[in-house]
Amino acid sequence: MKDHFDPCPVSDTAALVMLWASRYYVEIPIVKHYIERLDLTHGYPLLKRYNEICPWYSEVIINRKHFIKNAVTELLKNDPERTVIVNLGAGFSPLGLELLPWLSDNVRFTEIDLRNMEIKQRLYAELAPDHLLPLSCIKADITDTQSLRDILREKFNETGSTRLIVVMEGLSYYIDQMVMQNVMDSLKESFPNLAIVFEHLKPCPRIHQERRYIPYDIFSHVRDYTGIDRMTTYAEDEIVAMLGPGFSTRYSDMDEMELRRTQKSTYFPAPEYGWLSVAVGERK
C-alpha cells in the first residue's frame, strides 16, 4: 500500500528553485522522496515567466547545487575533524539529505531559518529516522548574531566539535552588505576553525554585456515581487575584504561549476558569461 500524505505547500520563490533543480534531485532517491512530500504548485507561474527569459536557467541552479555540495564534501575530506555544518537561511533546501552519507556523531548538519523548520524536521523524521541525531532544524533569525552564536556554541558543546562549516546559498542577495558583515564578524570572532561557502550575485559590470539582461530581468522582478529594496551583489575583492586576513579563499564562477559538473562549456564559455559565483573561504 502506498503512503498517503498531504504535501506541504512551499512558497513561490522557494518552489521555483526546486522546480528548476528537479532533474538533479531525482537522481538522489531520498531527496526525490522528500520533494514528493512538498507542494511546489506556487512556483509554476514564476517558472513559466523566467523560463521565457532564459529557457535553460535550470542549468544555473543545478550547477550551483552540485558545486556547493561538492565544496562541502571536499572540506570534509581535507580536514576530517569533528565538524558542525550549518546551512543559514536553509528554507526547504535538501542539502542535508544530499550530505547524509557524510553525517555521523562527529559530523553534524544544522539548518537555521525563521520559517518551516518544524515541518522540515518532521519530514526528516519520516525519511531519515536513523539520522536525526546529526541532522537538525532550528527556527531562528540568522541576522540576530547573539542568538546565532548561542545556537552554534550549543551544537559545539553537544558534539565536542572543533570546526564550523557555514553554507550560504541563495541567501546573500536578500541581506544588506553591512548586515552580512556583522554576521561574518560574529562567526569569525566565535569560531577560529571556520570555513564559509558563500554563493552570491555578481555586480552588473562583471557580467558580459550580452548576458546582463538575464539576471537583470529575473532578479529585478524577484526584487519587486518580494518587496525588498534592492538585490545585494558582491565582487570577489569585496568578499575577500569581508572575510579579512587569515582566510584562504577560492573563487569559482559559473564556467568552472558547469565544467566540473558536465565536463563541457555549453552555456558558460568564460567567467563573465555567468552571474552567480561561489567563494569558499577557509581559516585554520
Side-chain angles (χ1 to χ4, degrees):
M1 181 180 294
K2 293 184 69 174
D3 293 335
H4 293 281
F5 50 84
D6 294 323
C8 173
V10 178
S11 69
D12 38 19
T13 51
L16 167 70
V17 173
M18 291 192 165
L19 290 168
W20 268 328
S22 57
R23 286 189 291 111
Y24 172 69
Y25 288 148
V26 297
E27 298 174 358
I28 310 167
I30 194 168
V31 177
K32 178 177 181 291
H33 295 322
Y34 169 76
I35 299 299
E36 289 170 350
R37 283 164 167 76
L38 303 177
D39 180 357
L40 305 181
T41 304
H42 294 302
Y44 281 106
L46 291 178
L47 181 72
K48 181 177 184 297
R49 180 188 183 103
Y50 298 156
N51 279 354
E52 288 174 356
I53 297 169
C54 179
W56 44 266
Y57 204 94
S58 61
E59 294 293 318
V60 176
I61 301 301
I62 293 172
N63 288 340
R64 181 184 87 183
K65 291 192 171 296
H66 176 269
F67 184 87
I68 288 175
K69 173 193 171 182
N70 283 283
V72 174
T73 59
E74 286 169 11
L75 287 168
L76 292 172
K77 288 177 187 176
N78 294 337
D79 194 355
E81 296 186 55
R82 288 182 175 271
T83 301
V84 172
I85 307 164
V86 58
N87 190 5
L88 297 184
F92 279 104
S93 164
L95 179 61
L97 295 176
E98 293 183 71
L99 293 172
L100 273 185
W102 292 89
L103 303 186
S104 66
D105 288 347
N106 292 335
V107 179
R108 307 289 182 92
F109 189 94
T110 298
E111 310 196 2
I112 302 178
D113 208 330
L114 267 174
R115 299 177 183 85
N116 300 311
M117 292 296 95
E118 301 92 339
I119 296 170
K120 202 171 184 185
Q121 190 73 68
R122 190 190 74 235
L123 292 174
Y124 286 165
E126 295 173 4
L127 293 166
D130 297 332
H131 289 83
L132 292 185
L133 183 62
L135 185 61
S136 61
C137 304
I138 298 173
K139 180 180 178 180
D141 180 357
I142 66 164
T143 64
D144 181 345
T145 55
Q146 182 61 57
S147 176
L148 180 61
R149 281 198 304 267
D150 290 345
I151 289 168
L152 295 176
R153 282 172 178 157
E154 182 177 346
K155 288 295 175 185
F156 267 55
N157 291 336
E158 286 176 4
T159 61
S161 296
T162 60
R163 181 173 62 152
L164 177 66
I165 298 175
V166 177
V167 178
M168 300 188 195
E169 179 187 4
L171 173 68
S172 66
Y173 329 147
Y174 305 104
I175 296 179
D176 181 80
Q177 278 201 22
M178 187 64 70
V179 176
M180 182 62 76
Q181 184 70 67
N182 290 338
V183 173
M184 291 285 201
D185 289 345
S186 176
L187 293 170
K188 289 186 294 182
E189 290 167 7
S190 302
F191 304 97
N193 192 345
L194 174 66
I196 297 176
V197 181
F198 187 85
E199 183 262 331
H200 63 96
L201 276 171
K202 294 163 58 173
C204 185
R206 304 292 178 98
I207 304 167
H208 195 285
Q209 189 169 0
E210 70 181 45
R211 284 283 175 89
R212 289 177 190 171
Y213 77 94
I214 299 175
Y216 178 82
D217 288 355
I218 291 176
F219 285 99
S220 62
H221 182 262
V222 171
R223 178 199 63 207
D224 297 341
Y225 188 79
T226 56
I228 65 173
D229 292 335
R230 63 186 295 270
M231 286 287 176
T232 302
T233 64
Y234 292 87
E236 181 178 1
D237 58 334
E238 291 177 308
I239 296 171
V240 170
M242 185 166 58
L243 289 173
F247 277 83
S248 171
T249 304
R250 180 165 56 84
Y251 190 83
S252 300
D253 281 299
M254 289 303 304
D255 60 323
E256 179 185 343
M257 298 183 210
E258 179 184 45
L259 192 61
R260 289 186 63 173
R261 174 179 153 251
T262 68
Q263 291 75 57
K264 298 177 182 178
S265 298
T266 304
Y267 300 101
F268 301 99
E272 62 269 22
Y273 280 81
W275 48 92
L276 297 180
S277 300
V278 177
V280 180
E282 189 172 9
R283 180 181 69 184
K284 295 183 181 179

